[in-house]
Amino acid sequence: MSGDRPFLGILLMLAFCVIVPLGDSLAKMLGPVVTLATMIFVRFLFQAVMLTPIALATGRPVALRGRLFWLAYARALLQMAGLGCMFTALAYLPLADAVAIAFVMPFIMLLLGWFFLNEEVGIRRIAACTVGFIGTLMVIQPNFANVGWPVLYPLAVALIFALFMLITRQIAKDTDPIGLQALNGITGTLTLLPLLWLGYVFDLAPMSFVWPETTHLPLLAVMGAVGTIAHLFMTWSLRYAPSATLAPMQYIEIPIATIYGFVFFGDLPNGLAAAGICVTIGAGLYIIYREQANAKNTPAEPA
């Protein structure tokens, strides 16, 4: 962490929480008129075009070798899959509900950390995970009644991005944030090119690149830029403030997504979903509180 400037870190995380739902809103607007593959390709292309020149001009390493390269490539593939699931979910679900369901991710990360990294998980945090998942089910239930199984896409997003974050943890100390994001943009774009060609050859509509209409190009450009900038804000925030300080701020994304959903689409969560959102936020904040307490002085009592 380059300097202890928590206020700047918090401001950057707030910017991330404001910008990310905007990108999701644009994806929801474009979903009916632009193919899924086109949106994902534009997202990675903009990341590569925006960040590669910055990385090269500032002497940041873009190329990685060996284990680091393959972990970074796996990270790009997970990001690609997560975006695909989220953009698909937004075709069926209100924005706030999709974001709230995906926020089961901290609970999944806790369990994956316990399973793969041997991190200690006590009964209280397991209980909080259970409560948080119940809250998620409260959001899922009314949506499942309306749209059926596509409501599970945000759960896939949560699992994918939990794995994404675990890989990021493994390589964060050995890579530069801008260089890593630039590499992800390059490898993601190059990986998508043959997939787009296969989608065209076999006439797979969601996987085909379709040149968007002129009126849609500005929205696509903004979506690509917003996604890139948001992830940079998140990365930079962790350079100025510890993750324990920033983690609670991420839950601000849910009410902000609710506001965007109402402004752009006229959507508001119903009573059960709203209650489930509150339960999920409460359980997530409790887990963060226990993480902070354990980090300070609880070697004898697991949370």
Side-chain angles (χ1 to χ4, degrees):
M1 199 168 60
S2 60
D4 184 14
R5 301 169 66 184
F7 184 68
L8 177 57
I10 288 171
L11 288 179
L12 289 168
M13 182 57 75
L14 284 174
F16 168 80
C17 293
V18 170
I19 293 173
V20 162
L22 176 60
D24 291 338
S25 299
L26 293 171
K28 186 172 177 65
M29 292 178 192
L30 290 165
V33 293
V34 178
T35 66
L36 176 65
T38 302
M39 288 195 291
I40 298 174
F41 180 76
V42 168
R43 171 68 179 79
F44 277 90
L45 180 63
F46 261 80
Q47 186 166 315
V49 170
M50 288 178 66
L51 297 183
T52 303
I54 296 174
L56 295 176
T58 56
R60 301 168 188 267
V62 175
L64 298 175
R65 296 180 180 179
R67 172 179 172 272
L68 285 179
F69 172 81
W70 290 111
L71 285 173
Y73 186 55
R75 184 176 181 271
L77 294 178
L78 288 169
Q79 185 180 5
M80 193 184 307
L83 288 173
C85 289
M86 189 62 178
F87 291 169
T88 303
L90 291 171
Y92 298 95
L93 299 173
L95 177 64
D97 291 7
V99 171
I101 294 169
F103 259 83
V104 75
M105 184 187 73
F107 314 130
I108 295 176
M109 279 193 67
L110 192 70
L111 297 176
L112 289 177
W114 166 68
F115 188 78
F116 289 108
L117 304 179
N118 295 318
E119 295 177 349
E120 192 172 23
V121 178
I123 188 65
R124 295 184 211 176
R125 278 183 282 179
I126 291 175
C129 285
T130 303
V131 172
F133 190 70
I134 290 171
T136 302
L137 292 177
M138 292 168 66
V139 183
I140 289 175
Q141 191 278 329
N143 286 288
F144 192 84
N146 293 328
V147 304
W149 65 266
V151 77
L152 301 179
Y153 275 113
L155 290 179
V157 173
L159 177 59
I160 290 167
F161 275 103
L163 293 170
F164 175 89
M165 293 301 293
L166 284 178
I167 290 178
T168 302
R169 264 198 225 173
Q170 296 296 307
I171 64 177
K173 293 180 180 179
D174 302 313
T175 57
D176 173 80
I178 294 179
L180 178 62
Q181 289 294 95
L183 177 63
N184 272 14
I186 294 169
T187 55
T189 301
L190 294 176
T191 299
L192 283 166
L193 284 174
L195 295 179
L196 294 175
W197 180 78
L198 289 174
Y200 172 78
V201 169
F202 292 101
D203 196 23
L204 303 173
M207 289 303 301
S208 299
F209 181 84
V210 178
W211 189 260
E213 296 181 12
T214 305
T215 53
H216 301 145
L217 288 175
L219 288 179
L220 275 169
V222 174
M223 185 195 73
V226 160
T228 300
I229 293 169
H231 277 82
L232 276 181
F233 279 159
M234 179 185 65
T235 303
W236 279 330
S237 71
L238 292 168
R239 296 174 69 86
Y240 296 109
S243 58
T245 300
L246 298 174
M249 311 302 302
Q250 295 178 39
Y251 281 90
I252 295 173
E253 187 180 335
I254 298 177
I256 290 174
T258 303
I259 294 170
Y260 282 139
F262 178 70
V263 170
F264 292 128
F265 311 106
D267 293 331
L268 283 174
N270 67 15
L272 181 61
I277 289 172
C278 293
V279 170
T280 300
I281 292 174
L285 292 177
Y286 176 77
I287 284 180
I288 293 166
Y289 163 75
R290 292 304 308 171
E291 293 286 351
Q292 291 174 322
N294 284 349
K296 288 179 181 177
N297 57 2
T298 56
E301 181 188 354

